[in-house]
Amino acid sequence: MGHYNTWTGEVKLEANAGMTVNIGEAGLKLAAGATVSHKKSVTNIYEFVPSQFYDVIKNNADKLKELPANLTQHAKAITAYSSSSNGATKGLKLLSQDIDSYYKTVQQYDYLKSEKNADSSVLKQHRIDKHTIENRWGAIGRHQFLQFANASHAYLAHKAMADDPQSKALTTEQQTSKMELIANVAMKTQSPSIEYSKQRLDKIATFKQQIYLKITDSKTGINVSAGPFSAQLDVLQRERIHPSRIRAGSYVDLNLTWTVSGSLQGVIDKASITAKINEAAAKEGVQLPQEFDFSPDLSGGKSGTVLIRFFKPNYAKGAEFEGDTGYRRQFIRHLSSVSAGAGLGAAAMVVPGVNVGANLGVNYSKTTVSSETLGTEDLTYSMVRYNRFFRNSGKDPANKEWQAFESKNKVEYQKIFRHLGDPAHKIHKEAQHFLSELVDKAPDESNKIKAQSLFDEFNQAMSNYDADPTSEDKLNSAKAYFNEFLEKQTLPWWEDHMSSWTDLPFVQTADSGLNLGTKIKKALNLHERVKV
């Protein structure tokens, strides 16, 4: 959710006439055309995102004052007789226990409600148990309970982590245990294991924050046509301001969209078409890389797109960075299109896996990714994909989306692991940059020791695999440490991501967690669980 504005300027030059075009060694008289267009655009994006209560409050405790008092009333009652942080820690444990009981009760309650021959007395008891826990925290219904649980967690976690001169200094083990408790309860409140509306919960149990992004594009389009074959090569140069350090930087997209309206078999071959495209690009000062992979189906009635993305991250500009400071290839992606109607639709890849089409009139176009090949000298794209899957799954390191992605790209990751095991390779040096950061930014000595252990064991596992790439055990070990590296990167990535966000005021009311019917009954003093 958000808004954006775009400025665009375009200059187009066209030439289209019957002319002789040399394709390979064949000189053919074709109704050939060439179009060159140059387009520049600047897009300012203001995006509004939901941020968990605690994620915001731990960096800005004043935001607690914006929450309606009833959201944290029971949490405050729990800690009212204890001025030390230990009272808040005990409160977190009570909240955790109630959440576990509540989820178990609601799961059983929902199951029995869906059963035709359910025992009504058992169903009634589950309803009573559900209401008992809700009443303890001052809530009515599951969404208000989840809202209050999120707010209470934020309040109690903040109190538990506050400096407390009256309490004895915690041991490293006690401090780690407290941090794990806070993280565990956060997982429960933010990813409930019961049926609920995520959209509704995001509205009532999060702070809204504004993200600013800016995209500056310069695109050169080159059209080449030869009989029934036509293609457009778009060279997109993009500068991107983004709160994520693995998304902010300079991009170059090579996007070739081709169509074959009739059979070219026996008339022209793929190598000749590729040569023609390279020639057209060279005339515009564009030197296509060797990775450019173009293999169209020439049987007729086909269309498709080949997209190659290169990325140069802004963090690589730092004086201390020793990895690849230039453009690295993130992926080669083959897209297939099905279209109907007159004319062709234009499409642009805005973020990985998301296609935004721009079609005219009644044209219809559907584009799907038919294959994707990862670049083997880049970490950023793997980090982008992992982070997306990690958050989609409720911060589950072993989520199925990532496992499927990694398995699908097994050959590429084998090459990446070997590069990571070579101290002279640039991708190895880039990994050292991030591994060292985990050590340097560790919040305490215990976590620093763990980060240093990951640093050493990661490098050893990659070195072992590079020395013996036929070993399945060493491959599995390299994979395990790579996944641990990606999981540990999510914390500094997210903290850096959020550092530039702008807080917006909390606008939800005390009764925002209630459904409409309950709000009306409560307002009229007709609800059986509301004391007049």
Side-chain angles (χ1 to χ4, degrees), residues 4-8 40-45 215:
Y4 68 93
N5 58 74
T6 301
W7 171 88
T8 302
K40 292 186 177 181
S41 65
V42 178
T43 302
N44 295 289
I45 304 171
I215 298 173

Side-chain angles (χ1 to χ4, degrees), residues 267 367 479:
V267 179
T367 302
K479 178 180 175 181

Side-chain angles (χ1 to χ4, degrees), residues 376-394:
T376 57
E377 300 187 3
D378 169 68
L379 289 177
T380 59
Y381 188 58
S382 293
M383 294 167 76
V384 166
R385 302 311 292 155
Y386 184 89
N387 292 346
R388 174 66 62 84
F389 297 145
F390 181 74
R391 295 195 68 79
N392 284 352
S393 65

Side-chain angles (χ1 to χ4, degrees), residues 138-286:
I140 300 176
R142 70 185 65 190
H143 285 92
Q144 191 172 56
F145 175 79
L146 293 173
Q147 181 189 37
F148 285 15
N150 273 275
S152 297
H153 167 259
Y155 174 82
L156 294 168
H158 170 68
K159 293 267 292 184
M161 292 304 297
D163 292 333
D164 185 6
Q166 298 182 12
S167 298
K168 294 181 180 179
L170 297 179
T171 65
T172 300
E173 184 177 349
Q174 289 173 326
Q175 184 67 19
T176 300
S177 177
K178 181 187 289 188
M179 295 290 289
E180 289 176 348
L181 173 63
I182 291 173
N184 181 261
V185 180
M187 178 80 76
K188 293 177 183 179
T189 59
Q190 295 169 16
S191 301
S193 57
I194 57 175
E195 291 185 12
Y196 73 104
S197 167
K198 185 178 187 307
Q199 183 179 13
R200 184 176 172 189
L201 189 62
D202 281 348
K203 180 179 179 180
I204 64 175
T206 63
F207 288 112
K208 295 299 179 289
Q209 292 184 297
Q210 179 178 282
I211 303 176
Y212 172 66
L213 307 96
K214 182 178 180 180
I215 298 173
T216 303
D217 287 346
S218 178
K219 185 166 73 172
T220 298
I222 305 167
N223 286 353
V224 179
S225 60
F229 172 83
S230 62
Q232 175 167 317
L233 173 66
D234 289 324
V235 181
L236 175 68
Q237 294 174 282
R238 169 169 291 177
E239 295 296 325
R240 189 168 200 168
I241 295 176
H242 197 285
S244 171
R245 60 184 178 180
I246 51 176
R247 301 279 297 279
S250 304
Y251 294 79
V252 173
D253 278 7
L254 301 178
N255 197 86
L256 181 73
T257 301
W258 56 271
T259 60
V260 178
S261 57
S263 177
L264 288 178
Q265 291 180 341
V267 179
I268 190 172
D269 58 38
K270 296 173 183 178
S272 298
I273 293 177
T274 301
K276 180 62 181 175
I277 293 169
N278 276 283
E279 177 188 339
K283 288 180 180 178
E284 295 305 312
V286 177

Side-chain angles (χ1 to χ4, degrees), residues 213-371:
L213 307 96
K214 182 178 180 180
I215 298 173
T216 303
D217 287 346
S218 178
K219 185 166 73 172
T220 298
I222 305 167
N223 286 353
V224 179
S225 60
F229 172 83
S230 62
Q232 175 167 317
L233 173 66
D234 289 324
V235 181
L236 175 68
Q237 294 174 282
R238 169 169 291 177
E239 295 296 325
R240 189 168 200 168
I241 295 176
H242 197 285
S244 171
R245 60 184 178 180
I246 51 176
R247 301 279 297 279
S250 304
Y251 294 79
V252 173
D253 278 7
L254 301 178
N255 197 86
L256 181 73
T257 301
W258 56 271
T259 60
V260 178
S261 57
S263 177
L264 288 178
Q265 291 180 341
V267 179
I268 190 172
D269 58 38
K270 296 173 183 178
S272 298
I273 293 177
T274 301
K276 180 62 181 175
I277 293 169
N278 276 283
E279 177 188 339
K283 288 180 180 178
E284 295 305 312
V286 177
Q287 183 65 45
L288 299 181
Q290 293 182 350
E291 294 97 330
F292 195 77
D293 180 11
F294 178 59
S295 301
D297 185 336
L298 302 181
S299 60
K302 303 289 184 180
S303 64
T305 298
V306 181
L307 170 66
I308 305 179
R309 175 163 294 164
F310 297 86
F311 176 51
K312 181 167 63 175
N314 284 342
Y315 67 74
K317 297 176 181 178
E320 76 288 351
F321 185 78
E322 297 182 355
D324 190 351
T325 58
Y327 284 94
R328 72 280 300 278
R329 176 167 59 84
Q330 288 192 320
F331 58 76
I332 299 174
R333 183 177 290 163
H334 289 263
L335 310 171
S336 58
S337 300
V338 177
S339 59
L344 293 174
M349 298 306 297
V350 178
V351 296
V354 179
N355 182 272
V356 178
N359 297 291
L360 302 176
V362 295
N363 293 339
Y364 166 79
S365 178
K366 181 179 180 181
T367 302
T368 58
V369 178
S370 55
S371 67

Side-chain angles (χ1 to χ4, degrees), residues 445-482:
E445 190 60 29
S446 174
N447 282 286
K448 187 178 288 289
I449 292 172
K450 291 179 181 178
Q452 185 61 54
S453 177
L454 175 61
F455 184 105
D456 297 334
E457 292 170 2
F458 176 94
N459 286 327
Q460 189 60 58
M462 299 304 169
S463 178
N464 291 344
Y465 178 67
D466 185 38
D468 186 10
T470 61
S471 170
E472 195 69 22
D473 288 341
K474 290 176 181 176
L475 171 61
N476 290 335
S477 177
K479 178 180 175 181
Y481 280 106
F482 184 68

Side-chain angles (χ1 to χ4, degrees), residues 113-147:
K113 276 187 67 177
S114 65
E115 289 291 300
K116 293 182 178 180
N117 300 316
D119 188 326
S120 59
S121 62
V122 176
L123 182 62
K124 181 179 180 181
Q125 186 58 51
H126 285 319
R127 184 185 298 111
I128 292 172
D129 293 342
K130 174 178 177 287
H131 290 173
T132 298
I133 299 173
E134 290 174 356
N135 290 340
R136 183 154 53 241
W137 291 88
I140 300 176
R142 70 185 65 190
H143 285 92
Q144 191 172 56
F145 175 79
L146 293 173
Q147 181 189 37

